[in-house]
Amino acid sequence: MLKSSTCITAALLVTMAGTASAEGELNLYSSRHYDTDERLYSDFEEATGITINRIEGKADELIARMQAEGANSPADILLTVDTSRLKRAKDAGVLQAVDSDVLEARVPGYLQDSDNQWFGFSQRSRIIYYDKADVSEPPLTYADLADPKYKGLVCIRSSTNTYNQTLLASIITHSDEATAKAWAQGVVDNMAREPQGGDTDQLRGIVSGECDIAVANTYYFARSIRKDVDGLSAERDMIGWVFPSQDAEGAHMNLSGGGVAANAPNRDNAVKFLEYLASDQAQQYFSAGNDEYPAVPGVGLSPSIAALGFFKPDDVDLSAVAENIPAAQRIFNEVNWK
């Protein structure tokens, strides 16, 4: 029988409090670029006495650096965004398996690697937005985005974007490559403009009138609720949103997560840090500070995220989705999704 989540959390906090005088350090390689993560780091340091040394950069650069450093790498933890990058890290051999009762009890199985090399700690849903004045019947599923009636209306990021790669990989996982390719071709045919910019730029495309429909992660829109986002917040009320596929698999979820480095010199401290990220306290920071959905069930949502409403998330095994990412990239190339 699994230990209850509440008991695991209590045990974790007691353990952390008991090690407040411990000596040691943790070398963190992170591609998360959010100022709000500072609170995660400072609270962990205060609770454990472990000093966090950070190296920040783009995910692929950090993975390549860890490979180049090899057995001499000082990295203890790799934190990054999206399943595709976690897969790249695993395939590159820069992560190791972790056996932790805390992580097994706290992080749902579909949000962790099948070999326990990475774990998800926060989520974003990739959903559909639309101009409420111009679109009376918005797409209700991802498949609908390829419907010819939306020709010339859709704004979406490039095929090199990891969020889109994982979305297409999930479509392959749920159906097959032929279905996924037909969908990708349909979306290309419906694009209002060539892919450009980030997720916020897709939403700004609705505001500017360049497109009537856009695809973006929830935390970009939720951020415009919590604080002023130039070119978006002032006109936010014109935008409606749909959590797709609620009568089927549910809305696709992107993952932010991490794992212990293959040659971690401070392995025990690294495992403690991952376990801390699964605590209620850290999970609430992910939601309140960066408008993300907690990975751990039962943790309260920030007002900006709660404002988007309840929905059914896709609980497909992200480890299985990760295996289809190479096929997704190939399909993008075949349909000329720029």
Side-chain angles (χ1 to χ4, degrees):
M1 179 181 297
L2 286 176
K3 300 177 182 178
S4 73
S5 177
T6 301
C7 290
I8 287 288
T9 302
L12 172 59
L13 294 178
V14 167
T15 299
M16 289 176 61
T19 60
S21 60
E23 295 181 359
E25 60 182 6
L26 175 73
N27 299 316
L28 171 65
Y29 283 29
S30 176
S31 68
R32 282 181 60 96
H33 52 273
Y34 314 113
D35 293 339
T36 51
D37 285 358
E38 296 290 339
R39 185 71 181 272
L40 290 169
Y41 307 143
S42 62
D43 281 8
F44 176 78
E45 289 180 323
E46 182 178 349
T48 63
I50 297 169
T51 300
I52 296 179
N53 306 311
R54 276 182 288 162
I55 297 292
E56 297 182 340
K58 295 181 179 180
D60 290 340
E61 293 172 354
L62 292 175
I63 293 169
R65 175 173 177 161
M66 293 170 71
Q67 284 182 292
E69 290 169 340
N72 296 318
S73 176
D76 293 309
I77 289 284
L78 174 68
L79 283 186
T80 189
V81 175
D82 197 68
T83 310
S84 61
R85 289 172 176 140
L86 292 166
K87 173 180 169 50
R88 288 175 206 167
K90 178 182 177 181
D91 290 348
V94 300
L95 300 178
Q96 63 173 282
V98 171
D99 183 13
S100 164
D101 288 343
V102 172
L103 295 174
E104 287 298 324
R106 298 282 290 172
V107 180
Y110 65 92
L111 298 181
Q112 54 179 277
D113 174 52
S114 57
D115 296 320
N116 291 349
Q117 290 198 25
W118 54 257
F119 299 84
F121 296 108
S122 63
Q123 303 178 85
R124 307 86 174 268
S125 187
R126 194 149 191 77
I127 68 173
I128 299 169
Y129 300 86
Y130 63 96
D131 186 325
K132 292 190 289 187
D134 291 344
V135 182
S136 59
E137 297 181 357
L140 298 180
T141 68
Y142 296 107
D144 287 346
L145 288 168
D147 191 315
K149 73 179 181 180
Y150 299 120
K151 186 175 182 63
L153 302 184
V154 178
C155 281
I156 191 168
R157 289 175 74 166
S158 74
S159 63
T160 60
N161 173 246
T162 57
Y163 303 142
N164 283 343
Q165 291 171 2
T166 306
L167 174 59
L168 185 55
S170 74
I171 293 173
I172 296 172
T173 305
H174 282 298
S175 53
D176 52 50
E177 290 190 24
T179 301
K181 184 175 180 179
W183 176 82
Q185 183 64 68
V187 174
V188 169
D189 293 342
N190 287 347
M191 287 182 182
R193 63 186 184 191
E194 288 191 357
Q196 56 187 264
D199 273 19
T200 303
D201 295 307
Q202 313 314 310
L203 297 168
R204 288 181 178 131
I206 295 178
V207 173
S208 69
E210 291 180 86
C211 48
D212 286 329
I213 297 169
V215 177
N217 283 352
T218 44
Y219 82 125
Y220 292 96
F221 188 76
R223 183 182 300 161
S224 74
I225 297 175
R226 179 171 56 87
K227 65 180 185 179
D228 183 59
V229 175
D230 184 50
L232 179 57
S233 293
E235 305 297 334
R236 191 183 63 247
D237 289 345
M238 70 180 286
I239 300 175
W241 60 89
V242 171
F243 285 96
S245 307
Q246 294 300 282
D247 293 331
E249 69 273 10
H252 175 69
M253 306 299 289
N254 282 299
L255 197 63
S256 181
V260 175
N263 299 293
N266 303 291
R267 188 183 188 281
D268 289 347
N269 290 347
V271 174
K272 287 179 183 177
F273 182 70
L274 291 187
E275 291 176 343
Y276 167 71
L277 293 183
S279 69
D280 281 1
Q281 181 184 52
Q283 288 289 296
Q284 288 165 355
Y285 287 157
F286 282 121
S287 186
N290 201 45
D291 309 293
E292 297 177 90
Y293 291 99
V296 175
V299 177
L301 301 178
S302 68
S304 62
I305 280 293
L308 299 182
F310 293 102
F311 68 99
K312 174 186 174 182
D314 186 356
D315 62 359
V316 64
D317 187 338
L318 290 183
S319 186
V321 170
E323 295 302 315
N324 285 318
I325 288 172
Q329 187 60 70
R330 173 173 49 78
I331 289 172
F332 278 137
N333 294 339
E334 290 173 351
V335 302
N336 198 31
W337 185 319
K338 298 181 179 178

